[in-house]
């Protein structure tokens, strides 16, 4: 079972970013620029969940847990809900999973905190890997369009 580390006021532990999840699934079903643009616009709104299991330090507080690509590069796992984080419980090594619900843009900006090459959304179910350059576009305030992605 996942435990919540931090919860924004007015958001409960069963929060789900339904728009981001729907856009993620639509993009996986039809992987084109239009659906990618919709996904990138959707993930910047509401809240997202990051895994902070076992990474607290007294000096620095909670830290986001990372994963590595097959080439050893850093990948940032991000979840559209606590339920998606909880779905990893079968893969955890005996640790109780802990998540932090963060404003979406703050969660996305974590990719700039280290040498992340990508973010992986909803690892347990969808497992969508999105390159850093696309996350950077999602962090901006300009609307992402299919035409801007093709340029």
């Amino acid at each position: 079972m996942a435990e919540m580390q931090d919860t924004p006021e007015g958001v409960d532990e069963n929060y789900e970013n339904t728009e981001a999840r729907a856009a993620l699934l639509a993009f996986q079903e039809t992987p084109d620029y239009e659906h990618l643009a919709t996904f990138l616009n959707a993930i910047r709104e509401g809240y997202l969940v990051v895994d902070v299991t076992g990474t607290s330090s007294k000096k620095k507080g909670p830290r986001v847990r990372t994963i590595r690509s097959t080439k050893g590069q850093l990948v940032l796992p991000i979840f559209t809900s606590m339920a998606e984080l909880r779905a990893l419980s079968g893969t955890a090594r005996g640790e109780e999973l802990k998540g932090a619900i963060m404003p979406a843009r703050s969660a996305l900006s974590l990719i700039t905190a280290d040498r992340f090459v990508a973010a992986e959304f909803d690892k347990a179910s969808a497992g969508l890997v999105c390159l850093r350059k696309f996350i950077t576009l999602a962090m901006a305030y300009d609307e992402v369009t299919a035409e801007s992605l093709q340029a």
Side-chain angles (χ1 to χ4, degrees):
M1 183 65 128
E3 175 187 312
M4 210 166 22
Q5 187 76 12
D6 294 308
T7 309
E9 189 174 320
V11 176
D12 74 4
E13 68 180 47
N14 295 315
Y15 175 80
E16 179 179 7
N17 189 328
T18 55
E19 290 80 18
R21 179 69 181 170
L24 184 153
L25 295 175
F27 175 60
Q28 285 191 309
E29 189 173 303
T30 310
D32 58 20
Y33 287 116
E34 190 65 39
H35 285 94
L36 177 57
T38 301
F39 172 68
L40 295 176
N41 288 316
I43 61 173
R44 61 171 61 158
E45 302 299 326
Y47 296 93
L48 294 169
V49 178
V50 293
D51 183 355
V52 293
T53 306
T55 57
S56 273
S57 100
K58 290 180 182 177
K59 292 181 182 177
K60 297 181 182 179
R63 291 183 13 196
V64 176
R65 191 152 68 162
T66 62
I67 53 178
R68 297 232 177 230
S69 72
T70 55
K71 294 182 180 180
Q73 298 166 307
L74 284 176
V75 176
L76 175 66
I78 300 178
F79 304 89
T80 57
S81 68
M82 285 298 290
E84 286 295 325
L85 175 60
R86 288 182 193 114
L88 284 178
S89 65
T91 61
R93 292 179 224 138
E95 295 179 280
E96 184 174 346
L97 295 173
K98 294 179 184 170
I101 299 175
M102 302 176 68
R105 288 183 195 272
S106 296
L108 295 173
S109 72
L110 292 171
I111 203 160
T112 64
D114 209 335
R115 295 167 298 204
F116 291 104
V117 296
E120 184 170 11
F121 289 86
D122 293 349
K123 183 172 178 54
S125 63
L128 175 69
V129 176
C130 193
L131 293 176
R132 181 183 181 133
K133 67 181 180 179
F134 295 119
I135 302 301
T136 303
L137 286 174
M139 290 175 359
Y141 288 91
D142 296 332
E143 182 178 358
V144 180
T145 64
E147 294 76 26
S148 67
L149 290 172
Q150 290 174 338

